[in-house]
Amino acid sequence: MYYAILSDDINDSLPLRKSARPAHLARLEQLRDEGRLLIAGPHPAIDSEDPGPNGFTGSLVIAEFASLEAAQTWADADPFVAAGVYEQVRVKPFKKVLP
């Protein structure tokens, strides 16, 4: 089943994001390579593809996991969590309907 991992950043998270980004992306690339990643990306703090110094307000990952517990365990081990980027992380079941 798919699970949505919705993460909210702390204020001024950009420096922390930059330092932890390579490890964060490596984990997402692993999900992609396993065919389990539906979509992933950050939420820009402003209405722009490149928010520059404004940074991001959070992230969304939708991926396939064996259970809610497995998705939560994966989310808890994110390098952005360890780096203190996220203020809150929620994991919810997700049912893909379209496309």
Side-chain angles (χ1 to χ4, degrees):
M1 178 167 189
Y2 283 113
Y3 294 88
I5 301 169
L6 303 138
S7 306
D8 298 318
D9 283 22
I10 62 168
N11 290 331
D12 302 316
S13 64
L14 192 57
L16 297 173
R17 273 183 167 270
K18 287 181 178 179
S19 67
R21 189 169 189 262
H24 173 76
L25 287 179
R27 294 179 81 235
L28 292 170
E29 289 166 352
Q30 181 179 358
L31 285 178
R32 179 201 60 205
D33 294 347
E34 294 170 356
R36 297 171 44 207
L37 183 64
L38 183 62
I39 194 166
H43 302 286
I46 60 172
D47 189 13
S48 173
E49 288 272 330
D50 180 3
N54 292 295
F56 301 91
T57 62
S59 301
L60 170 66
V61 174
I62 300 177
E64 188 175 18
F65 293 93
S67 66
L68 179 60
E69 181 179 301
Q72 185 69 59
T73 298
W74 187 90
D76 290 345
D78 193 303
F80 278 0
V81 171
V85 171
Y86 294 143
E87 178 177 47
Q88 177 183 9
V89 177
R90 292 163 290 155
V91 180
K92 302 166 84 170
F94 179 81
K95 181 180 175 184
K96 182 180 178 205
V97 175
L98 294 171

